[in-house]
Amino acid sequence: VQLQASGGGLVQPGGSLRLSCAASGSIFSLNPMGWYRQGPGKQRELVATITSGGSTNYAESVLGRFTISRDNAKNTVYLQMNSLKPEDTAVYLCYAVVRSTLGGTTRKYWGQGTQVTVSS
């Protein structure tokens, strides 16, 4: 199983970015999927998660600004980030808890990380 993240970049404060993370390989289910981030000198922080049924959870710091969604047909999770602030600057890492076969065990996989820089 591989997770390929994309969509990071440099954006001005108040701007928007959309991150994507596509899973491929031996996949029976992806539940949940989500995003962490790690800013310079900071601990890794869980940003948002989404279950296969569409239930979501967010870090308090991004509530009302970020929206997580997923396309189950494409095994892809998205993170729409609006009203970005300099403190959102971080490497964003996607993850997925994967079950490869019906009744099989689960394992957590990580994407490669994508840099988001919010600066004027």
Side-chain angles (χ1 to χ4, degrees), residues 14-92:
S16 297
L17 281 175
R18 189 193 195 208
L19 306 182
S20 300
C21 177
S24 61
S26 180
I27 298 169
F28 175 77
S29 67
L30 297 161
N31 192 29
M33 302 182 79
W35 296 88
Y36 282 78
R37 69 184 180 185
Q38 187 159 16
K42 297 181 181 180
Q43 289 189 329
R44 186 173 292 187
E45 174 189 24
L46 179 60
V47 177
T49 63
I50 185 167
T51 68
S52 57
S55 297
T56 59
N57 277 292
Y58 296 92
E60 189 171 337
S61 58
V62 307
L63 270 174
R65 301 188 297 121
F66 290 12
T67 302
I68 190 170
S69 61
R70 62 190 285 170
D71 184 331
N72 290 330
K74 295 181 179 179
N75 289 336
T76 299
V77 63
Y78 305 96
L79 187 67
Q80 177 67 43
M81 305 184 293
N82 299 329
S83 303
L84 282 160
K85 304 175 181 181
E87 51 263 43
D88 294 318
T89 295
V91 174
Y92 284 71

